[in-house]
Amino acid sequence: QVQLVESGGGLVQAGGSLRLSCAASGRTFSSYTMGWFRQAPGKGREFVAAITSSADRTYYTDSVKDRFTISRDNAKNTVYLQMNSVKPEDTAVYRCAARAVYSALGSPLGYDYWGQGTQVTVSS
């Protein structure tokens, strides 16, 4: 069992930066691939980024490439999402998720555990 708690969301102006954190409980955190998803009002859940258990590979949706960076610290059981040059269209609830199976990382299906989410609002 893994419990995930996000933090770091808030209100930021367009062009600014924000760092989201996702703290995980449990001693098996380092064995999970971690992902970030977001959901804007009236829209479906969208894949943002993922990182393998050993942090040797990262994946991003095209709209955040070169702006967002996913990282993890297995000693602290935490995964991060550094958000730079944010845009109003980045406004959403951001949720982290953990999956044991390394496949189809862009799909929310197959992620075993989810956090409750943190709101990010970008003003223009």
Side-chain angles (χ1 to χ4, degrees):
Q1 187 80 8
V2 176
Q3 291 185 323
L4 304 173
V5 179
E6 301 93 339
S7 62
L11 176 64
V12 60
Q13 287 189 329
S17 298
L18 211 57
R19 189 175 83 154
L20 306 184
S21 299
C22 172
S25 65
R27 291 176 287 181
T28 59
F29 172 78
S30 61
S31 67
Y32 286 88
T33 291
M34 299 298 296
W36 283 98
F37 289 79
R38 66 187 180 186
Q39 187 163 14
K43 295 187 177 181
R45 195 174 302 180
E46 178 189 24
F47 169 75
V48 177
I51 187 167
T52 55
S53 58
S54 61
D56 60 335
R57 295 183 182 180
T58 57
Y59 305 86
Y60 300 92
T61 191
D62 286 345
S63 62
V64 308
K65 281 180 182 177
D66 300 323
R67 298 191 298 122
F68 291 8
T69 302
I70 188 172
S71 62
R72 66 190 296 161
D73 185 338
N74 286 341
K76 295 182 178 180
N77 280 12
T78 302
V79 62
Y80 305 97
L81 185 68
Q82 178 67 44
M83 306 168 61
N84 297 330
S85 303
V86 296
K87 304 175 181 180
E89 51 264 42
D90 294 323
T91 294
V93 174
Y94 285 71
R95 300 177 70 184
C96 65
R99 66 183 298 152
V101 177
Y102 177 65
S103 68
L105 302 184
S107 170
L109 302 176
Y111 281 84
D112 304 293
Y113 304 101
W114 290 84
Q116 291 298 309
T118 185
Q119 176 70 47
V120 172
T121 303
V122 182
S123 63
S124 58

